[in-house]
């Protein structure tokens, strides 16, 4: 079964599968300006730290085209892409890398060089997914029941995956694996995206409300928890989708190993601990409603942090492309 | 500010506010058969252990009317009401008590006696709420920020409340109190019902996804967690709406006191521990959709336990009409 094509450069445009419309419809967006990309990132048409990074890298090519050879303009355009979401470190990393590579050439070549570097980041991301899956399989029994929170499969990356990528690879190798999928409010990435990815490859799963994870873990039904991360501090504290910390507490209580699977580009060794990770507050409307359905009074006051930080003490291991790591992480 | 009129006997019928339509519409249902009541209980038009108990007690009057003096038929009708939800012990308790009182009279008087006993249970429930609130206020600082899960206010009872009843009483007394409201998937009782009850009396709140509770607690913003219960075992283990256990784990990690507020009729001292409490599996459709909006593929396989059990070790105190108790509970 092939990878999902989450992000691609097609006919001088950035093509994204619109994740807000899954699983109902498979719609592709062709973006030709940085404003279009920033809007797509903000409304989560593309999401997942590695996928945002790859999309942002191609965004540098759009930024170059709009700049018409003006370096100040180029940098400003790239910076606006870089700032479109604050928590995912991959976005800043990929934009910086692509911008630096582009600027290392002649102004006429900025766009071409940005596309070249972005494509390299995409290819590297697919390779990272393969390597993370390889290491992840070492902590997965066979048969295995995995619990996961938020979408960390092909859709969250350039097509391979981080935490769910390990599960998908287990399936490809014919291992017996099944998944408890947290629905992942408010935007239901588990309910919408993990179910879509798992059904696509025929891996059995049970969808559950986020609040059910603690009792599912306590019941002994789960062998291992695998989650992704949006940013990992030097001490191992990991920011991930809101609700992850509750899963970690429940896994510890149930004595179930809890692994974070993320590429090294998600590690931000400049931050001593998780308290330094900026946590984005998302719009109230995400909690007040889901799609067309109202969940609460239209004027309900809302607390909607997009991420929480799981302290390192609750994490069994950090699985990157280098292996199963533990802090202090070598640079 | 007056109590909510959740359940009432009006013109020989059982009147319920249809909680599935809140907060959008205030619709009242007038029920005249046990089948109508059972359907209303199953679809959660009335929910919350004490409220279901009161509704079930009036259901015994409907059962008597349908029986036309046939005791076997009366008992069978009452039993079907009693069995409509398995976890809430109050329902069985209230039906048994009302049935016994009715049968203690002449067949011609069964309906009248059942109404009389059900009204007594309703009045007692309002009184229980007042007494639980009185005891609950002793654990609430002033000012206080409370975190709660699921609806336990007037709508969950005959009009007073258990856990949220304490908050409402604090507001009535002019104390400074605010609430973090877990939305409480899948049926969003927090988002729909707590917001409605709190706005009705002007108590400030912030609505959050269930997954946000752990980080909210860890952030130090919460003084005390108050939740209700559907059944409490002799050792103090408490079954409550799915997601409660995760809140308890997070409260323990954050060193925030976690109280269960429930009338003595919720205590089932015949059960040694929480492992003996039957946990209802609810329909998959509740998780697959979010009110009218699809949340997942229509055929998604779902794990949907309605309740979880919080072990006694995570509970700071059990607040009943008798005071702040601890196991072993005197009978």
């Amino acid at each position: 079964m092939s990878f999902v094509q989450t992000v691609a450069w097609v006919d001088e445009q950035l093509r994204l599968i619109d994740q807000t419309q899954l699983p109902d419809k498979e719609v592709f967006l062709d973006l030709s300006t940085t404003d279009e990309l920033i809007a797509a990132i903000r409304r989560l048409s593309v999401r997942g730290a590695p996928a945002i990074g790859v999309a942002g890298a191609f965004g540098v090519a759009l930024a170059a085209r709009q700049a018409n050879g003006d370096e100040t303009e180029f940098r400003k355009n790239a910076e606006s892409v870089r700032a479109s979401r604050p928590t995912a470190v991959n976005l800043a990393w990929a934009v910086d890398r692509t911008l630096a590579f582009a600027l290392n050439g002649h102004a006429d070549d900025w766009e071409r060089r940005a596309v070249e570097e972005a494509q390299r980041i995409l290819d590297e991301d697919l390779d990272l997914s393969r390597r993370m899956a390889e290491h992840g399989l070492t902590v997965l029994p066979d048969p295995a029941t995995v619990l996961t929170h938020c979408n960390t499969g092909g859709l969250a990356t350039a097509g391979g995956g981080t935490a769910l990528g390990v599960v998908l690879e287990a399936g490809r190798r014919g291992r017996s694996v099944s998944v408890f999928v947290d629905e992942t409010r408010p935007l239901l990435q588990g309910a919408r995206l993990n179910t879509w990815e798992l059904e696509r490859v025929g891996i059995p799963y049970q969808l559950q409300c986020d609040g059910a994870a603690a009792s599912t873990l306590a019941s002994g039904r789960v062998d291992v928890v695998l989650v992704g991360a949006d940013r990992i501090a030097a001490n191992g504290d990991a920011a991930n989708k809101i609700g992850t910390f509750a899963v970690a507490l429940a896994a510890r209580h149930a004595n179930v190993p809890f692994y974070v699977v993320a590429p090294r580009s998600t590690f931000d060794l400049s931050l001593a601990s998780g308290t330094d990770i900026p946590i984005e507050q998302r719009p109230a409307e995400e909690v007040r409603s889901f799609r067309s359905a109202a969940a609460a009074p239209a004027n309900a006051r809302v607390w909607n942090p997009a991420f929480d930080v799981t302290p390192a003490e609750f994490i069994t291991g950090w699985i990157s492309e280098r292996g199963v790591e533990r802090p202090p992480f070598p640079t």
Side-chain angles (χ1 to χ4, degrees), chain A:
Chain A
M1 174 56 65
S2 62
F3 287 163
V4 181
Q5 193 165 51
T6 313
V7 182
W9 186 256
V10 181
D11 295 339
E12 316 282 298
Q13 294 186 307
L14 173 50
R15 175 168 291 178
L16 304 175
I17 186 166
D18 184 353
Q19 300 193 31
T20 65
Q21 306 214 39
L22 289 173
D24 312 336
K25 281 181 273 187
E26 293 181 26
V27 174
F28 289 86
L29 304 175
D30 288 312
L31 311 178
S32 53
T33 69
T34 52
D35 283 349
E36 287 171 6
L37 173 59
I38 291 164
I41 290 174
R42 291 229 174 102
R43 73 170 173 266
L44 310 190
S45 287
V46 58
R47 28 67 51 201
I52 294 171
V54 174
F58 284 113
V60 175
L62 303 178
R65 192 188 304 166
Q66 287 162 212
N68 280 319
D70 178 336
E71 184 175 330
T72 308
E73 182 74 10
F74 183 20
R75 287 182 183 277
K76 201 190 75 186
N77 294 342
E79 174 55 32
S80 64
V81 172
R82 190 183 191 277
S84 56
R85 288 197 74 190
T87 303
V89 69
N90 307 56
L91 175 60
W93 168 86
V95 166
D96 290 347
R97 173 174 153 181
T98 309
L99 180 64
F101 184 83
L103 285 170
N104 219 9
H106 190 275
D108 292 347
D109 283 336
W110 286 347
E111 179 180 345
R112 188 190 55 72
R113 288 177 67 88
V115 171
E116 182 187 324
E117 188 70 358
Q119 187 63 49
R120 199 148 35 223
I121 290 175
L122 189 158
D123 292 339
E124 286 171 12
D125 189 74
L126 288 172
D127 187 56
L128 291 175
S129 288
R130 285 188 201 97
R131 287 153 69 193
M132 283 185 280
E134 200 69 53
H135 298 300
L137 288 176
T138 66
V139 307
L140 210 66
D142 184 9
T145 300
V146 174
L147 187 147
T148 193
H149 190 82
C150 202
N151 172 260
T152 55
L155 292 168
T157 61
T162 58
L164 196 68
V166 176
V167 171
L168 295 168
E169 183 62 21
R172 274 190 289 267
R173 299 196 183 182
R175 288 214 204 175
S176 176
V177 62
S178 65
V179 189
F180 278 98
V181 173
D182 279 4
E183 64 174 6
T184 319
R185 276 281 287 159
L187 292 173
L188 298 162
Q189 289 92 339
R192 297 187 299 107
L193 308 181
N194 285 350
T195 58
W196 183 79
E197 291 204 46
L198 291 167
E199 293 207 344
R200 196 167 161 272
V201 298
I203 293 175
Y205 67 86
Q206 288 184 84
L207 176 65
Q208 64 185 2
C209 293
D210 301 332
S215 64
T216 298
L217 284 159
S219 74
R221 289 179 174 84
V222 178
D223 299 304
V224 58
V225 176
L226 300 176
V227 297
D230 290 75
R231 200 183 292 217
I232 297 171
N235 73 340
D237 293 352
N240 191 43
K241 177 56 40 64
I242 192 73
T244 302
F245 178 31
V247 174
L249 288 166
R252 169 60 49 91
H253 177 261
N255 251 321
V256 173
F258 178 99
Y259 290 93
V260 173
V261 187
R264 265 308 191 111
S265 56
T266 301
F267 291 52
D268 185 351
L269 304 185
S270 74
L271 302 182
S273 80
T275 54
D276 302 322
I277 300 175
I279 299 296
E280 175 186 4
Q281 276 276 343
R282 303 260 322 156
E285 201 43 49
E286 291 182 354
V287 180
R288 286 185 194 137
S289 67
F290 173 70
R291 297 181 153 183
S292 55
N299 59 346
R301 202 172 154 213
V302 166
W303 178 248
N304 186 21
F307 305 94
D308 59 25
V309 175
T310 298
E313 59 177 306
F314 294 101
I315 301 173
T316 311
W318 291 252
I319 301 175
S320 78
E321 66 272 25
R322 299 194 194 170
V324 184
E325 304 199 62
R326 289 198 57 79
F329 306 111
T331 49

